[in-house]
Amino acid sequence: MNVLVTGGSGYIGSHTCIQLLAAGFNPIIVDNLCNSKKAVLKRIKQVSGSTPTFIQADVRDKAALVAALSEHNIEAVIHFAGLKAVGESVEKPLEYYDNNVNGTLVLVDAMREAGVKRLIFSSSATVYGDPASVPITEDFPTSATNPYGRSKLMVEECLTDFQKANSDWSITLLRYFNPVGSHPSGELGEDPQGIPNNLMPFVAQVAVGRREFVSVFGNDYPTKDGTGVRDYIHVMDLADGHIAALQKVGPKPGLHIYNLGTGNGHSVLEMIAAFEKAAHRPIPFKFVDRRPGDIAECWADPSKAQTELGWRASHTLDAMVNDSWRWQSTNPQGYSDQ
Ligand code: NAD
Ligand code: UD1
């Protein structure tokens, strides 16, 4: 079965392509390369033996999408393409709404024209805002605290309305918690451009000597050790969540919403300690002020995905940091320009 993967050369998309190939699906990537490199295609080939078809196009280019959907007999779309840096979204809200919201509307319009009615959308735990309690179930109230989060929430709302009006469509919203780790081969991983916003790529770059120390944002949260607690999930588990959604939800009409998390919370200090063990070296850090907009604790109740999709995260914290270190230490500058 042919699956169009928007944003398929990015971090989560590339790992998902590998799992799609392993499960017998044929991924066709559409990506404009604004935050990824074509070099990832060679790595996918190295690991899986196949190179996915790659179409360099923007998801806001409807004609290119209709052509890709029709020419490749696409049956389902996994939509990863989007911008994801919270701080940048505050500076450039219009770009975020255009790319993430408008991009999704154009994609759905193209799917409608091409007669493709199955969509899996990359949403985020950010749609839960500052949750009243943990663990978080899918029926918790949603809210947004920044333009990035609002773009995800807006897309969820647009897709909900669209599915109501088009009851034969199958739309799945996957709310990711905190994706970390890399393919166990060390050939693929996260390759952030510029200074990483997220904790784990930052820690990895300190470990490899690209940066001096980790700034720990706040040590006075009401958590086990005062630092923020999150549900870190191995990117391979996350990738498998998409395969489970393709296989278990299938073409079943409806709006399907799932948390993809482990159900465990780890603090910033625990993550640094785990990485030190994996890299066999100390990772210097300094406590600094809280980052505006951060919440104390966030972790998933993943039981709905387990019951309905037969999916659960299986990688341990050690696997997440070991795989992340393998990638970072063998590719200290990411994919470079090969
Ligand atoms: P990424 O930046 O590595 O991948 C996104 C890909 O989309 C990139 O290859 C980029 O070039 C491409 N892209 C962006 N805008 C495009 C456009 N208009 N047209 C075509 N291609 C475009 O990010 P990722 O971490 O792999 O995230 C994938 C998705 O998951 C995003 O939608 C993101 O918001 C969502 N998500 C990510 C996280 C996370 O922590 N990584 C958490 C929750 C949700
Ligand atoms: C962030 C985004 C969220 C997005 C998610 C995945 C914010 C406010 N939230 O979530 O919208 O969906 O990434 O892309 O940006 N930390 C440090 N030092 C650092 C970096 C992070 O101490 O240099 C701490 C944070 O305070 C937090 C934890 O590490 O407690 C995880 O941070 P991060 O990786 O940025 O993810 P989130 O904040 O959960």
Side-chain angles (χ1 to χ4, degrees), residues 11 15 43 181-194 196 198-211 275 278-279 281 283 320-336:
Y11 172 46
H15 289 81
R43 304 292 183 95
S182 305
H183 190 270
S185 64
E187 295 293 338
L188 288 98
E190 189 169 9
D191 182 16
Q193 309 302 303
N198 295 117
L199 177 68
M200 289 318 280
F202 203 103
V203 170
Q205 291 193 3
V206 172
V208 84
R210 275 175 72 178
R211 303 189 188 276
F275 213 98
R281 62 190 67 187
I283 296 181
M320 298 180 212
V321 291
N322 285 331
D323 291 339
S324 188
W325 177 237
R326 190 173 305 109
W327 155 254
Q328 188 69 67
S329 54
T330 51
N331 300 269
Q333 303 300 326
Y335 288 110
S336 358

Side-chain angles (χ1 to χ4, degrees), residues 265-322:
H266 292 290
S267 73
V268 175
L269 294 183
E270 286 173 342
M271 296 308 286
I272 293 176
F275 213 98
E276 284 181 329
K277 198 171 107 192
H280 303 290
R281 62 190 67 187
I283 296 181
F285 65 86
K286 287 182 190 168
F287 291 120
V288 300
D289 286 347
R290 291 181 178 193
R291 179 171 63 180
D294 271 359
I295 55 176
E297 303 193 293
C298 173
W299 71 86
D301 178 338
S303 53
K304 187 175 179 219
Q306 190 178 340
T307 311
E308 295 185 12
L309 302 181
W311 169 91
R312 69 182 298 178
S314 63
H315 291 74
T316 60
L317 180 60
D318 281 342
M320 298 180 212
V321 291
N322 285 331

Side-chain angles (χ1 to χ4, degrees), residues 5-15 29-37 40 54-61 65 79-85 95-96 98-100 103-104 121-126 148 151-152 174-180 189-192 198 235 238 242:
V5 185
T6 77
S9 43
Y11 172 46
I12 306 170
S14 57
H15 289 81
I29 297 175
V30 168
D31 201 301
N32 67 0
L33 299 177
C34 71
N35 198 37
S36 55
K37 295 183 183 136
V40 75
F54 178 81
I55 300 164
Q56 184 167 349
D58 194 293
V59 288
R60 291 162 293 183
D61 180 347
L65 289 180
H79 180 35
F80 293 105
L83 302 178
K84 62 165 184 176
E95 280 82 345
Y96 271 68
D98 185 34
N99 211 314
N100 295 0
T104 306
F121 172 65
S122 294
S123 190
S124 166
T126 192
Y148 166 72
S151 75
K152 290 289 169 190
L174 298 180
R175 293 176 177 161
Y176 312 155
F177 280 66
N178 291 59
V180 297
E190 189 169 9
D191 182 16
N198 295 117
V235 67
L238 201 61
H242 296 75

